[in-house]
Amino acid sequence: MLAVVPTDSAPHHAEEAAGAGRDAGGAEALPGPPAASTKENPMVTPEPHLGQETPPPQQNDQLVALRQLFPDWYIEHDTVLRRWRAMRHQPLTLPEVKAGARYLILRASPERLGTALARQREITRTLRTARPAVP
């Protein structure tokens, strides 16, 4: 047997007493998605999309400097993983690979990346000067 429990019809919250949650006709309003704009809801901060984050000015200056110093490399800073990455524009030859040249370099700081790229530059310069002249 089911027991019927009487309910109190008086509003339990001040919001219900003020008519919150009801539309203009007095019907129960369905909850909608949270406001996406800070104008509609000042408590909501829009999240930046991945890949659209801009590095701080100092990191941006370092990125520009590295790109100017090493034009044979594609250099970027991943703000999410906090890694500095450099990839060669051209594929490596077999002698370059044997000499220790790398296609991709990852480092935690721009200084370390610059040092690694300088080493790579020396490897390729050494190979160019060591090649015999073609008659």
Side-chain angles (χ1 to χ4, degrees), residues 51 62-63 66-67 70 72-89 102-114 116-117:
Q62 292 167 327
L63 184 61
L66 284 170
R67 286 177 176 169
F70 304 102
D72 294 338
W73 294 81
Y74 171 74
I75 302 170
E76 67 180 359
H77 178 244
D78 189 331
T79 57
V80 176
L81 298 176
R82 297 182 183 176
R83 289 300 229 175
W84 291 79
R85 176 181 15 227
M87 290 183 354
R88 289 184 186 264
H89 288 298
R102 301 286 178 250
Y103 180 75
L104 173 68
I105 299 175
L106 299 172
R107 294 293 184 267
S109 70
E111 295 81 13
R112 289 183 178 181
L113 183 63
L117 290 174

mmCIF file of all heavy atoms in Angstrom, residues 51 62-63 66-67 70 72-89 102-114 116-117:
data_model
loop_
_atom_site.group_PDB
_atom_site.id
_atom_site.type_symbol
_atom_site.label_atom_id
_atom_site.label_comp_id
_atom_site.label_asym_id
_atom_site.label_seq_id
_atom_site.Cartn_x
_atom_site.Cartn_y
_atom_site.Cartn_z
ATOM 1 N N GLY A 51 45.522 26.856 -29.382
ATOM 2 C CA GLY A 51 46.139 27.384 -30.580
ATOM 3 C C GLY A 51 45.899 28.865 -30.780
ATOM 4 O O GLY A 51 46.506 29.487 -31.614
ATOM 5 N N GLN A 62 61.529 36.260 -27.779
ATOM 6 C CA GLN A 62 62.472 35.155 -27.891
ATOM 7 C C GLN A 62 62.164 34.298 -29.114
ATOM 8 O O GLN A 62 63.074 33.843 -29.803
ATOM 9 C CB GLN A 62 62.455 34.304 -26.623
ATOM 10 C CG GLN A 62 63.004 35.031 -25.418
ATOM 11 C CD GLN A 62 62.705 34.315 -24.119
ATOM 12 O OE1 GLN A 62 61.666 33.668 -23.978
ATOM 13 N NE2 GLN A 62 63.614 34.432 -23.164
ATOM 14 N N LEU A 63 60.900 34.096 -29.391
ATOM 15 C CA LEU A 63 60.492 33.322 -30.558
ATOM 16 C C LEU A 63 60.938 34.016 -31.837
ATOM 17 O O LEU A 63 61.496 33.381 -32.738
ATOM 18 C CB LEU A 63 58.974 33.131 -30.540
ATOM 19 C CG LEU A 63 58.353 32.282 -31.625
ATOM 20 C CD1 LEU A 63 58.891 30.863 -31.579
ATOM 21 C CD2 LEU A 63 56.841 32.277 -31.486
ATOM 22 N N LEU A 66 64.773 33.666 -32.188
ATOM 23 C CA LEU A 66 65.175 32.321 -32.618
ATOM 24 C C LEU A 66 64.883 32.106 -34.100
ATOM 25 O O LEU A 66 65.691 31.526 -34.825
ATOM 26 C CB LEU A 66 64.475 31.254 -31.783
ATOM 27 C CG LEU A 66 65.007 31.033 -30.375
ATOM 28 C CD1 LEU A 66 64.082 30.124 -29.582
ATOM 29 C CD2 LEU A 66 66.417 30.452 -30.418
ATOM 30 N N ARG A 67 63.737 32.566 -34.550
ATOM 31 C CA ARG A 67 63.380 32.402 -35.962
ATOM 32 C C ARG A 67 64.328 33.175 -36.872
ATOM 33 O O ARG A 67 64.627 32.737 -37.983
ATOM 34 C CB ARG A 67 61.940 32.842 -36.200
ATOM 35 C CG ARG A 67 60.931 31.847 -35.662
ATOM 36 C CD ARG A 67 59.515 32.317 -35.846
ATOM 37 N NE ARG A 67 58.567 31.307 -35.402
ATOM 38 C CZ ARG A 67 57.278 31.534 -35.252
ATOM 39 N NH1 ARG A 67 56.762 32.734 -35.513
ATOM 40 N NH2 ARG A 67 56.472 30.577 -34.837
ATOM 41 N N PHE A 70 67.815 31.246 -36.815
ATOM 42 C CA PHE A 70 67.802 29.915 -37.429
ATOM 43 C C PHE A 70 66.686 29.831 -38.478
ATOM 44 O O PHE A 70 65.657 29.188 -38.256
ATOM 45 C CB PHE A 70 67.610 28.848 -36.346
ATOM 46 C CG PHE A 70 68.653 28.913 -35.263
ATOM 47 C CD1 PHE A 70 68.361 29.493 -34.045
ATOM 48 C CD2 PHE A 70 69.922 28.403 -35.477
ATOM 49 C CE1 PHE A 70 69.321 29.562 -33.045
ATOM 50 C CE2 PHE A 70 70.883 28.465 -34.483
ATOM 51 C CZ PHE A 70 70.592 29.051 -33.268
ATOM 52 N N ASP A 72 66.434 28.182 -41.154
ATOM 53 C CA ASP A 72 66.215 26.869 -41.758
ATOM 54 C C ASP A 72 65.287 25.986 -40.923
ATOM 55 O O ASP A 72 65.052 24.830 -41.278
ATOM 56 C CB ASP A 72 67.549 26.142 -41.952
ATOM 57 C CG ASP A 72 68.428 26.849 -42.972
ATOM 58 O OD1 ASP A 72 67.883 27.598 -43.801
ATOM 59 O OD2 ASP A 72 69.660 26.655 -42.920
ATOM 60 N N TRP A 73 64.795 26.522 -39.835
ATOM 61 C CA TRP A 73 63.954 25.768 -38.906
ATOM 62 C C TRP A 73 62.609 26.449 -38.723
ATOM 63 O O TRP A 73 62.507 27.680 -38.727
ATOM 64 C CB TRP A 73 64.639 25.682 -37.536
ATOM 65 C CG TRP A 73 65.892 24.880 -37.528
ATOM 66 C CD1 TRP A 73 67.140 25.292 -37.914
ATOM 67 C CD2 TRP A 73 66.036 23.535 -37.097
ATOM 68 N NE1 TRP A 73 68.035 24.282 -37.758
ATOM 69 C CE2 TRP A 73 67.389 23.188 -37.252
ATOM 70 C CE3 TRP A 73 65.151 22.592 -36.601
ATOM 71 C CZ2 TRP A 73 67.878 21.939 -36.920
ATOM 72 C CZ3 TRP A 73 65.637 21.346 -36.264
ATOM 73 C CH2 TRP A 73 66.987 21.019 -36.426
ATOM 74 N N TYR A 74 61.579 25.634 -38.562
ATOM 75 C CA TYR A 74 60.265 26.123 -38.146
ATOM 76 C C TYR A 74 60.263 26.046 -36.624
ATOM 77 O O TYR A 74 60.390 24.958 -36.049
ATOM 78 C CB TYR A 74 59.137 25.274 -38.738
ATOM 79 C CG TYR A 74 57.795 25.613 -38.153
ATOM 80 C CD1 TYR A 74 57.139 26.788 -38.518
ATOM 81 C CD2 TYR A 74 57.192 24.789 -37.217
ATOM 82 C CE1 TYR A 74 55.921 27.122 -37.965
ATOM 83 C CE2 TYR A 74 55.973 25.106 -36.657
ATOM 84 C CZ TYR A 74 55.340 26.276 -37.036
ATOM 85 O OH TYR A 74 54.137 26.596 -36.477
ATOM 86 N N ILE A 75 60.121 27.177 -35.956
ATOM 87 C CA ILE A 75 60.228 27.231 -34.498
ATOM 88 C C ILE A 75 58.911 27.745 -33.926
ATOM 89 O O ILE A 75 58.345 28.721 -34.423
ATOM 90 C CB ILE A 75 61.388 28.144 -34.071
ATOM 91 C CG1 ILE A 75 62.688 27.633 -34.677
ATOM 92 C CG2 ILE A 75 61.484 28.225 -32.549
ATOM 93 C CD1 ILE A 75 63.861 28.571 -34.527
ATOM 94 N N GLU A 76 58.456 27.076 -32.861
ATOM 95 C CA GLU A 76 57.226 27.503 -32.194
ATOM 96 C C GLU A 76 57.315 27.209 -30.702
ATOM 97 O O GLU A 76 58.138 26.415 -30.258
ATOM 98 C CB GLU A 76 56.007 26.808 -32.792
ATOM 99 C CG GLU A 76 55.955 25.317 -32.543
ATOM 100 C CD GLU A 76 54.733 24.658 -33.147
ATOM 101 O OE1 GLU A 76 53.896 25.347 -33.745
ATOM 102 O OE2 GLU A 76 54.612 23.435 -33.011
ATOM 103 N N HIS A 77 56.435 27.881 -29.950
ATOM 104 C CA HIS A 77 56.338 27.648 -28.511
ATOM 105 C C HIS A 77 54.935 27.162 -28.203
ATOM 106 O O HIS A 77 53.954 27.820 -28.532
ATOM 107 C CB HIS A 77 56.625 28.942 -27.735
ATOM 108 C CG HIS A 77 56.486 28.773 -26.267
ATOM 109 N ND1 HIS A 77 55.544 29.442 -25.534
ATOM 110 C CD2 HIS A 77 57.161 27.997 -25.387
ATOM 111 C CE1 HIS A 77 55.642 29.090 -24.263
ATOM 112 N NE2 HIS A 77 56.622 28.214 -24.153
ATOM 113 N N ASP A 78 54.840 25.993 -27.598
ATOM 114 C CA ASP A 78 53.549 25.421 -27.207
ATOM 115 C C ASP A 78 53.230 25.923 -25.809
ATOM 116 O O ASP A 78 53.857 25.514 -24.835
ATOM 117 C CB ASP A 78 53.628 23.895 -27.235
ATOM 118 C CG ASP A 78 52.276 23.243 -27.057
ATOM 119 O OD1 ASP A 78 51.404 23.850 -26.403
ATOM 120 O OD2 ASP A 78 52.089 22.126 -27.555
ATOM 121 N N THR A 79 52.247 26.829 -25.701
ATOM 122 C CA THR A 79 51.912 27.421 -24.409
ATOM 123 C C THR A 79 51.192 26.445 -23.492
ATOM 124 O O THR A 79 51.193 26.634 -22.285
ATOM 125 C CB THR A 79 51.050 28.679 -24.598
ATOM 126 O OG1 THR A 79 49.885 28.331 -25.336
ATOM 127 C CG2 THR A 79 51.826 29.766 -25.311
ATOM 128 N N VAL A 80 50.576 25.425 -24.047
ATOM 129 C CA VAL A 80 49.872 24.438 -23.223
ATOM 130 C C VAL A 80 50.873 23.481 -22.575
ATOM 131 O O VAL A 80 50.854 23.252 -21.372
ATOM 132 C CB VAL A 80 48.825 23.664 -24.056
ATOM 133 C CG1 VAL A 80 48.180 22.579 -23.224
ATOM 134 C CG2 VAL A 80 47.779 24.613 -24.604
ATOM 135 N N LEU A 81 51.757 22.921 -23.386
ATOM 136 C CA LEU A 81 52.746 21.970 -22.877
ATOM 137 C C LEU A 81 54.002 22.659 -22.350
ATOM 138 O O LEU A 81 54.851 22.023 -21.747
ATOM 139 C CB LEU A 81 53.143 20.978 -23.974
ATOM 140 C CG LEU A 81 52.020 20.103 -24.496
ATOM 141 C CD1 LEU A 81 52.520 19.233 -25.630
ATOM 142 C CD2 LEU A 81 51.427 19.256 -23.386
ATOM 143 N N ARG A 82 54.110 23.957 -22.617
ATOM 144 C CA ARG A 82 55.280 24.745 -22.206
ATOM 145 C C ARG A 82 56.565 24.155 -22.758
ATOM 146 O O ARG A 82 57.533 23.947 -22.048
ATOM 147 C CB ARG A 82 55.343 24.872 -20.689
ATOM 148 C CG ARG A 82 54.157 25.603 -20.127
ATOM 149 C CD ARG A 82 54.261 25.744 -18.663
ATOM 150 N NE ARG A 82 53.054 26.397 -18.161
ATOM 151 C CZ ARG A 82 52.804 26.593 -16.904
ATOM 152 N NH1 ARG A 82 53.653 26.203 -15.989
ATOM 153 N NH2 ARG A 82 51.703 27.187 -16.537
ATOM 154 N N ARG A 83 56.543 23.874 -24.054
ATOM 155 C CA ARG A 83 57.694 23.309 -24.744
ATOM 156 C C ARG A 83 58.044 24.184 -25.937
ATOM 157 O O ARG A 83 57.166 24.735 -26.595
ATOM 158 C CB ARG A 83 57.384 21.893 -25.256
ATOM 159 C CG ARG A 83 57.265 20.858 -24.200
ATOM 160 C CD ARG A 83 58.505 20.743 -23.431
ATOM 161 N NE ARG A 83 58.927 19.361 -23.312
ATOM 162 C CZ ARG A 83 60.045 19.021 -22.748
ATOM 163 N NH1 ARG A 83 60.860 19.918 -22.306
ATOM 164 N NH2 ARG A 83 60.371 17.775 -22.628
ATOM 165 N N TRP A 84 59.315 24.270 -26.214
ATOM 166 C CA TRP A 84 59.814 24.947 -27.394
ATOM 167 C C TRP A 84 60.172 23.873 -28.406
ATOM 168 O O TRP A 84 60.840 22.908 -28.073
ATOM 169 C CB TRP A 84 61.028 25.806 -27.034
ATOM 170 C CG TRP A 84 60.644 26.973 -26.189
ATOM 171 C CD1 TRP A 84 60.396 26.961 -24.851
ATOM 172 C CD2 TRP A 84 60.433 28.302 -26.629
ATOM 173 N NE1 TRP A 84 60.049 28.213 -24.438
ATOM 174 C CE2 TRP A 84 60.058 29.062 -25.500
ATOM 175 C CE3 TRP A 84 60.522 28.939 -27.866
ATOM 176 C CZ2 TRP A 84 59.782 30.419 -25.578
ATOM 177 C CZ3 TRP A 84 60.242 30.291 -27.937
ATOM 178 C CH2 TRP A 84 59.881 31.022 -26.806
ATOM 179 N N ARG A 85 59.711 24.047 -29.635
ATOM 180 C CA ARG A 85 59.859 23.013 -30.664
ATOM 181 C C ARG A 85 60.463 23.631 -31.923
ATOM 182 O O ARG A 85 60.082 24.725 -32.325
ATOM 183 C CB ARG A 85 58.490 22.434 -30.967
ATOM 184 C CG ARG A 85 58.453 21.440 -32.060
ATOM 185 C CD ARG A 85 57.074 20.891 -32.351
ATOM 186 N NE ARG A 85 55.985 21.642 -31.770
ATOM 187 C CZ ARG A 85 54.965 21.090 -31.106
ATOM 188 N NH1 ARG A 85 54.884 19.806 -30.975
ATOM 189 N NH2 ARG A 85 54.014 21.832 -30.599
ATOM 190 N N ALA A 86 61.386 22.889 -32.522
ATOM 191 C CA ALA A 86 61.976 23.302 -33.800
ATOM 192 C C ALA A 86 61.971 22.108 -34.749
ATOM 193 O O ALA A 86 62.333 21.002 -34.360
ATOM 194 C CB ALA A 86 63.401 23.803 -33.585
ATOM 195 N N MET A 87 61.525 22.351 -35.981
ATOM 196 C CA MET A 87 61.516 21.321 -37.026
ATOM 197 C C MET A 87 62.214 21.902 -38.250
ATOM 198 O O MET A 87 61.997 23.055 -38.608
ATOM 199 C CB MET A 87 60.081 20.940 -37.406
ATOM 200 C CG MET A 87 59.367 20.176 -36.346
ATOM 201 S SD MET A 87 57.682 19.615 -36.745
ATOM 202 C CE MET A 87 57.275 20.302 -38.287
ATOM 203 N N ARG A 88 63.021 21.085 -38.873
ATOM 204 C CA ARG A 88 63.719 21.531 -40.087
ATOM 205 C C ARG A 88 62.733 21.732 -41.233
ATOM 206 O O ARG A 88 61.751 21.017 -41.357
ATOM 207 C CB ARG A 88 64.751 20.498 -40.507
ATOM 208 C CG ARG A 88 65.933 20.425 -39.593
ATOM 209 C CD ARG A 88 66.948 19.431 -40.164
ATOM 210 N NE ARG A 88 68.025 19.227 -39.242
ATOM 211 C CZ ARG A 88 69.188 19.875 -39.282
ATOM 212 N NH1 ARG A 88 69.401 20.757 -40.227
ATOM 213 N NH2 ARG A 88 70.122 19.628 -38.396
ATOM 214 N N HIS A 89 63.049 22.692 -42.079
ATOM 215 C CA HIS A 89 62.235 22.895 -43.284
ATOM 216 C C HIS A 89 62.550 21.840 -44.343
ATOM 217 O O HIS A 89 61.676 21.473 -45.118
ATOM 218 C CB HIS A 89 62.476 24.298 -43.871
ATOM 219 C CG HIS A 89 61.881 25.403 -43.068
ATOM 220 N ND1 HIS A 89 60.535 25.538 -42.844
ATOM 221 C CD2 HIS A 89 62.458 26.441 -42.416
ATOM 222 C CE1 HIS A 89 60.292 26.611 -42.110
ATOM 223 N NE2 HIS A 89 61.451 27.181 -41.833
ATOM 224 N N ARG A 102 69.386 16.225 -36.300
ATOM 225 C CA ARG A 102 68.015 15.876 -35.909
ATOM 226 C C ARG A 102 67.020 16.682 -36.737
ATOM 227 O O ARG A 102 67.267 17.832 -37.084
ATOM 228 C CB ARG A 102 67.772 16.168 -34.424
ATOM 229 C CG ARG A 102 68.696 15.426 -33.485
ATOM 230 C CD ARG A 102 68.287 13.963 -33.425
ATOM 231 N NE ARG A 102 69.172 13.210 -32.571
ATOM 232 C CZ ARG A 102 70.037 12.301 -33.002
ATOM 233 N NH1 ARG A 102 70.158 12.054 -34.273
ATOM 234 N NH2 ARG A 102 70.797 11.645 -32.158
ATOM 235 N N TYR A 103 65.877 16.055 -37.006
ATOM 236 C CA TYR A 103 64.802 16.730 -37.730
ATOM 237 C C TYR A 103 63.918 17.532 -36.780
ATOM 238 O O TYR A 103 63.437 18.600 -37.122
ATOM 239 C CB TYR A 103 63.959 15.696 -38.487
ATOM 240 C CG TYR A 103 62.819 16.312 -39.264
ATOM 241 C CD1 TYR A 103 63.053 16.998 -40.446
ATOM 242 C CD2 TYR A 103 61.514 16.220 -38.803
ATOM 243 C CE1 TYR A 103 62.021 17.585 -41.144
ATOM 244 C CE2 TYR A 103 60.475 16.792 -39.504
ATOM 245 C CZ TYR A 103 60.733 17.476 -40.665
ATOM 246 O OH TYR A 103 59.708 18.064 -41.363
ATOM 247 N N LEU A 104 63.714 17.032 -35.574
ATOM 248 C CA LEU A 104 62.841 17.651 -34.585
ATOM 249 C C LEU A 104 63.593 17.791 -33.273
ATOM 250 O O LEU A 104 64.231 16.842 -32.802
ATOM 251 C CB LEU A 104 61.586 16.790 -34.371
ATOM 252 C CG LEU A 104 60.634 17.205 -33.263
ATOM 253 C CD1 LEU A 104 59.946 18.516 -33.602
ATOM 254 C CD2 LEU A 104 59.599 16.117 -33.023
ATOM 255 N N ILE A 105 63.486 18.979 -32.659
ATOM 256 C CA ILE A 105 64.119 19.223 -31.366
ATOM 257 C C ILE A 105 63.083 19.832 -30.433
ATOM 258 O O ILE A 105 62.402 20.796 -30.792
ATOM 259 C CB ILE A 105 65.321 20.184 -31.495
ATOM 260 C CG1 ILE A 105 66.365 19.579 -32.412
ATOM 261 C CG2 ILE A 105 65.914 20.499 -30.131
ATOM 262 C CD1 ILE A 105 67.533 20.486 -32.699
ATOM 263 N N LEU A 106 62.952 19.258 -29.234
ATOM 264 C CA LEU A 106 62.059 19.775 -28.194
ATOM 265 C C LEU A 106 62.900 20.163 -26.989
ATOM 266 O O LEU A 106 63.741 19.378 -26.540
ATOM 267 C CB LEU A 106 61.041 18.716 -27.766
ATOM 268 C CG LEU A 106 60.093 18.196 -28.835
ATOM 269 C CD1 LEU A 106 59.295 17.021 -28.299
ATOM 270 C CD2 LEU A 106 59.167 19.295 -29.290
ATOM 271 N N ARG A 107 62.645 21.349 -26.445
ATOM 272 C CA ARG A 107 63.353 21.797 -25.250
ATOM 273 C C ARG A 107 62.378 22.561 -24.351
ATOM 274 O O ARG A 107 61.359 23.069 -24.797
ATOM 275 C CB ARG A 107 64.537 22.709 -25.595
ATOM 276 C CG ARG A 107 65.665 22.029 -26.353
ATOM 277 C CD ARG A 107 66.363 20.978 -25.492
ATOM 278 N NE ARG A 107 67.499 20.381 -26.152
ATOM 279 C CZ ARG A 107 67.457 19.263 -26.866
ATOM 280 N NH1 ARG A 107 66.329 18.630 -27.048
ATOM 281 N NH2 ARG A 107 68.558 18.776 -27.407
ATOM 282 N N ALA A 108 62.749 22.658 -23.076
ATOM 283 C CA ALA A 108 61.893 23.313 -22.089
ATOM 284 C C ALA A 108 62.050 24.833 -22.064
ATOM 285 O O ALA A 108 61.200 25.530 -21.510
ATOM 286 C CB ALA A 108 62.168 22.748 -20.697
ATOM 287 N N SER A 109 63.124 25.352 -22.640
ATOM 288 C CA SER A 109 63.333 26.804 -22.599
ATOM 289 C C SER A 109 63.899 27.277 -23.943
ATOM 290 O O SER A 109 64.517 26.502 -24.676
ATOM 291 C CB SER A 109 64.299 27.175 -21.474
ATOM 292 O OG SER A 109 65.611 26.751 -21.785
ATOM 293 N N PRO A 110 63.729 28.562 -24.245
ATOM 294 C CA PRO A 110 64.266 29.073 -25.510
ATOM 295 C C PRO A 110 65.795 29.070 -25.516
ATOM 296 O O PRO A 110 66.409 28.893 -26.568
ATOM 297 C CB PRO A 110 63.699 30.485 -25.596
ATOM 298 C CG PRO A 110 63.332 30.853 -24.207
ATOM 299 C CD PRO A 110 62.966 29.573 -23.529
ATOM 300 N N GLU A 111 66.401 29.234 -24.353
ATOM 301 C CA GLU A 111 67.860 29.211 -24.279
ATOM 302 C C GLU A 111 68.400 27.827 -24.655
ATOM 303 O O GLU A 111 69.366 27.713 -25.412
ATOM 304 C CB GLU A 111 68.341 29.596 -22.875
ATOM 305 C CG GLU A 111 68.014 31.018 -22.473
ATOM 306 C CD GLU A 111 66.586 31.219 -21.968
ATOM 307 O OE1 GLU A 111 65.894 30.224 -21.690
ATOM 308 O OE2 GLU A 111 66.163 32.383 -21.855
ATOM 309 N N ARG A 112 67.775 26.796 -24.110
ATOM 310 C CA ARG A 112 68.207 25.429 -24.424
ATOM 311 C C ARG A 112 67.947 25.078 -25.884
ATOM 312 O O ARG A 112 68.733 24.379 -26.517
ATOM 313 C CB ARG A 112 67.516 24.427 -23.507
ATOM 314 C CG ARG A 112 68.022 24.505 -22.089
ATOM 315 C CD ARG A 112 67.380 23.465 -21.228
ATOM 316 N NE ARG A 112 67.915 23.533 -19.882
ATOM 317 C CZ ARG A 112 67.553 22.740 -18.901
ATOM 318 N NH1 ARG A 112 66.656 21.799 -19.113
ATOM 319 N NH2 ARG A 112 68.079 22.877 -17.711
ATOM 320 N N LEU A 113 66.840 25.566 -26.415
ATOM 321 C CA LEU A 113 66.554 25.319 -27.825
ATOM 322 C C LEU A 113 67.590 26.011 -28.703
ATOM 323 O O LEU A 113 68.086 25.438 -29.669
ATOM 324 C CB LEU A 113 65.146 25.784 -28.191
ATOM 325 C CG LEU A 113 64.718 25.504 -29.628
ATOM 326 C CD1 LEU A 113 64.679 24.008 -29.914
ATOM 327 C CD2 LEU A 113 63.384 26.136 -29.924
ATOM 328 N N GLY A 114 67.952 27.249 -28.362
ATOM 329 C CA GLY A 114 68.963 27.980 -29.116
ATOM 330 C C GLY A 114 70.299 27.260 -29.101
ATOM 331 O O GLY A 114 70.988 27.171 -30.130
ATOM 332 N N ALA A 116 70.779 23.984 -28.679
ATOM 333 C CA ALA A 116 70.641 22.766 -29.487
ATOM 334 C C ALA A 116 70.664 23.096 -30.981
ATOM 335 O O ALA A 116 71.271 22.374 -31.776
ATOM 336 C CB ALA A 116 69.359 22.035 -29.118
ATOM 337 N N LEU A 117 70.025 24.192 -31.359
ATOM 338 C CA LEU A 117 70.008 24.575 -32.777
ATOM 339 C C LEU A 117 71.398 25.023 -33.242
ATOM 340 O O LEU A 117 71.782 24.767 -34.391
ATOM 341 C CB LEU A 117 68.979 25.678 -33.015
ATOM 342 C CG LEU A 117 67.522 25.237 -32.879
ATOM 343 C CD1 LEU A 117 66.592 26.433 -32.996
ATOM 344 C CD2 LEU A 117 67.171 24.175 -33.892
#
